[in-house]
Each structure stands twice: as structure tokens, then as C-alpha cells.
Amino acid sequence: MNNYGIMIDATAVESNILYFNFHHKSWSAFDLQNRLESVSDNDPLKTRVFVKVLAYDSETIRAVLHHQISSDDVQAILVKLQFVLEKFTSQ
């Protein structure tokens, strides 16, 4: 995901909480949070997923997984994330 400006230190992950950095020339982590949480009828059906994350500052995002999130849910989140990031990088 580094191609999209996302950097994750996998060695720092010790629990179900994931922190990652988002670096983009025009968009902040707050913009990414807002887009991940939005669902539009204009988006492709498979990307109409509400992804709740927390932007701590302009570059840091926190995501939390729990026991009720399945591997299918994680795949849906990844599809949404890639869709949003591709839109960011095309702008």
C-alpha cells in the first residue's frame, strides 16, 4: 500500500489495533477517514462499505478489529480502501 502513501510498521502491531501513516500531497488522514466512512450510490456496489477509523492527526490513522469482524469483512474493507486510495491518487 506504500504506492498509495500508506505505511504500516507490521512489527509494531501487538494487538487488534493498527496504526498507519498516510502521506499524500493534497489529502490528509482526516480526508481519508471521511471518505472511508462515506457510502455513495454512485460508487461500485462492492465498495459501498462503511469503514470506521480514527484520524489522530493529518498523517496517522487508527483502525481496530474485533472478534465480530470476519475475514470476509476484512476483504471488503481492503476493497474499499483500495478504491478510495485509487481515487485519491488520480486527483
Side-chain angles (χ1 to χ4, degrees), residues 47-65:
T47 66
R48 294 181 196 170
V49 177
F50 180 91
V51 179
K52 180 69 176 162
V53 296
L54 175 65
Y56 271 163
D57 56 37
S58 63
E59 295 184 343
T60 308
I61 293 182
R62 175 181 182 252
V64 179
L65 299 174

Side-chain angles (χ1 to χ4, degrees), residues 6-83:
I6 289 193
M7 293 187 300
I8 300 171
D9 180 3
T11 62
V13 178
E14 297 179 5
S15 69
N16 62 328
I17 301 171
L18 174 68
Y19 292 91
F20 60 91
N21 292 322
F22 177 63
H23 301 282
H24 189 274
K25 62 184 177 192
S26 304
W27 302 95
S28 71
F30 299 106
D31 297 318
L32 181 57
Q33 173 186 338
N34 289 335
R35 187 60 186 97
L36 288 171
E37 292 178 351
S38 70
V39 178
S40 170
D41 290 339
N42 297 327
D43 292 340
L45 185 60
K46 66 182 180 179
T47 66
R48 294 181 196 170
V49 177
F50 180 91
V51 179
K52 180 69 176 162
V53 296
L54 175 65
Y56 271 163
D57 56 37
S58 63
E59 295 184 343
T60 308
I61 293 182
R62 175 181 182 252
V64 179
L65 299 174
H66 58 81
H67 71 279
Q68 293 175 328
I69 297 178
S70 69
S71 59
D72 289 341
D73 294 332
V74 172
Q75 283 304 117
I77 291 166
L78 292 173
V79 167
K80 171 77 174 231
L81 182 59
Q82 184 172 0
F83 173 74

